[in-house]
Structure formats: structure tokens, C-alpha cells
Amino acid sequence: MKKILQLTAVLILALFVSINAQSRKELKAYYGSQYNVEIQTLGVGNDGTKLFKVWGYGKKVDEAVIEAKRNAISAAVFKGIPAGGGASPTPALTTEVDAETKHKEFFDEFFQDGGKYLQYVNLSNDATPSGEDKIEMKKGYKVGVAVSINHVGLRKYLEEKGVIRKLDSGF
């Protein structure tokens, strides 16, 4: 009888720990990822903006659109934007190899749900994507979103926060 009670207590404890771990929602690392962001340059934007299509994944279409916007800013900051649509390639804003670890707290706050990264997404097609821009997959959706980001404003903000060096700071 005592062994049954002990086994029951262990199972209840394991169940509680499992449920508690699943209920915590942690921020995905949208930066410093070893994976490339799917991105296609659409054209040259006006006044320091970059126009491109970026893809995001999510269980729901809305979640995939939000991830696509994060991916757009993340690509500009960490990966750079490829050439295409009459635009030349744009290098990543960060030049430090380990910028994402040195400034982890900053980027965690910057990329959180509703974070400051949204201030630099000037234009996006927020209507529910359809056709080739909305692909249903086994565990959700893959969504392509055309975005315009304020590249110059993003650079200035990161310089002010000390995350990247100013262009005129030299070597």
C-alpha cells in the first residue's frame, strides 16, 4: 500500500511539473538563429526604407504574420537583406559576431510581443494572406508578408541604445 501511495505521489508530481512547464510561454529567439530567414527583395523603398517579402510560421495565420514581421526586422539587424527588385544587397546592421548574446536583454525586450520592433515596420499587408502567400502545413501555416521597414530609423535607434556602432565612429 505504501508503495502505491509513493508511486501515485511521484506521478502527480511529474504531471504537475509537466503541466507547469507547458503553461509557460517563452519568447522565441528571433535573433541570432542559425537558420536563414526566407526573404525576397521586392524593390527599392523611399527615404531609407527597404521593401521585401518575408515568410513566417505559426499555428494560426495571425501568429505567422506576427512572426514574419519579427523575421523582417531580425533579417535587417542580423543577416542583411539580399539584392533583388532593382535594390542592391544591404549588409546586416550588427557587425559584432556575438551581438545577440552581449545585448540579450535588449533584444528580448525589443522582440517581445508588441515590442519596439513594430515601430520600424512601416507597411505590411495585414490582410489575411491568400493564394501562394498562405500555405497550410501539418502543424499550422507558412505565410508570406510584403513589408517595408524603416532601415535608417532602425539603425539610428540601435546606435542610440549602444547596440551597434555609429557609422562615423571609425574602426
Side-chain angles (χ1 to χ4, degrees):
M1 183 73 173
K2 189 174 183 180
K3 283 189 176 190
I4 293 174
L5 287 174
Q6 288 175 342
L7 183 60
T8 306
V10 168
L11 288 174
I12 290 173
L13 180 63
L15 180 65
F16 175 74
V17 169
S18 174
I19 290 171
N20 190 28
Q22 290 176 0
S23 68
R24 279 189 237 137
K25 184 179 179 185
E26 291 188 26
L27 177 66
K28 281 185 182 179
Y30 292 100
Y31 54 90
S33 173
Q34 62 188 358
Y35 305 108
N36 287 328
V37 174
E38 291 181 69
I39 190 169
Q40 174 189 5
T41 304
L42 298 176
V44 180
N46 297 332
D47 300 328
T49 62
K50 303 292 179 183
L51 180 62
F52 51 92
K53 179 188 265 186
V54 66
W55 293 83
Y57 296 86
K59 289 183 180 180
K60 298 178 183 174
V61 174
D62 296 343
E63 292 173 5
V65 169
I66 290 169
E67 183 178 310
K69 290 178 184 180
R70 280 188 180 122
N71 287 344
I73 299 297
S74 177
V77 174
F78 297 104
K79 305 285 185 196
I81 302 168
S88 58
T90 305
L93 291 172
T94 57
T95 55
E96 290 180 280
V97 177
D98 57 348
E100 62 272 4
T101 56
K102 281 185 178 178
H103 306 285
K104 183 178 180 351
E105 288 181 23
F106 171 81
F107 286 118
D108 283 347
E109 183 180 329
F110 184 73
F111 283 111
Q112 72 183 352
D113 288 344
K116 287 199 180 260
Y117 75 95
L118 286 171
Q119 294 176 359
Y120 302 98
V121 178
N122 290 341
L123 170 75
S124 66
N125 57 343
D126 284 342
T128 303
S130 61
E132 65 182 27
D133 290 339
K134 178 182 168 187
I135 301 170
E136 191 167 354
M137 303 176 78
K138 266 187 178 180
K139 295 186 178 183
Y141 293 91
K142 176 181 175 181
V143 172
V145 178
V147 297
S148 170
I149 65 166
N150 181 353
H151 198 263
V152 172
L154 179 59
R155 169 176 279 289
K156 286 181 183 177
Y157 178 73
L158 295 175
E159 287 173 351
E160 287 172 8
K161 295 297 181 181
V163 175
I164 63 174
R165 282 195 263 156
K166 293 184 179 185
L167 287 176
D168 61 358
S169 67
F171 298 98

